[in-house]
């Protein structure tokens, strides 16, 4: 996967803590992992909202589909 070089600004205490845990060269790795975790969390929330929305209208959708099915399957004189 290609990488993009960024120039970002973070509070010094945060950078110092990351470097203490991950080393001088671990900053990028930490930020990548943190970004992935945050994106996964946001995607799960978005998907959960969609699922809840679909579930809340499921019964109404079933009723509409039943009416549509009977209209389509009726024999008609042509």
């Amino acid at each position: 996967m290609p990488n993009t070089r960024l120039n970002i600004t973070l509070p010094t205490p945060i950078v110092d803590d990351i470097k203490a845990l991950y080393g001088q060269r671990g900053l990028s790795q930490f930020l990548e992992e943190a970004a992935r975790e945050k994106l996964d969390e946001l995607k799960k929330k978005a998907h959960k909202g969609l699922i809840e929305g679909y579930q809340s209208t499921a019964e109404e959708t079933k009723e509409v589909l039943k009416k549509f099915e009977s209209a389509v399957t009726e024999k008609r004189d042509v």
Side-chain angles (χ1 to χ4, degrees):
M1 168 177 6
N3 292 323
T4 301
R5 189 171 193 70
L6 300 174
N7 180 13
I8 62 170
T9 303
L10 295 171
T12 301
I14 291 176
V15 174
D16 291 343
D17 286 346
I18 295 169
K19 286 180 181 179
L21 293 169
Y22 282 77
Q24 180 68 26
R25 296 197 153 288
L27 186 59
S28 291
Q29 178 185 349
F30 175 84
L31 293 174
E32 179 181 346
E33 289 174 10
R36 284 186 193 280
E37 287 177 19
K38 185 64 176 180
L39 286 170
D40 286 346
E41 176 188 323
L42 292 170
K43 287 177 183 178
K44 284 179 186 177
K45 283 182 184 178
H47 292 158
K48 183 180 177 186
L50 288 173
I51 290 168
E52 288 173 354
Y54 292 138
Q55 289 173 338
S56 70
T57 61
E59 289 304 316
E60 182 181 338
T61 301
K62 287 179 190 177
E63 293 302 317
V64 170
L65 290 174
K66 284 179 188 175
K67 290 177 185 175
F68 180 73
E69 181 181 33
S70 63
V72 170
T73 58
E74 289 177 2
K75 293 186 178 185
R76 299 171 194 257
D77 292 333
V78 180

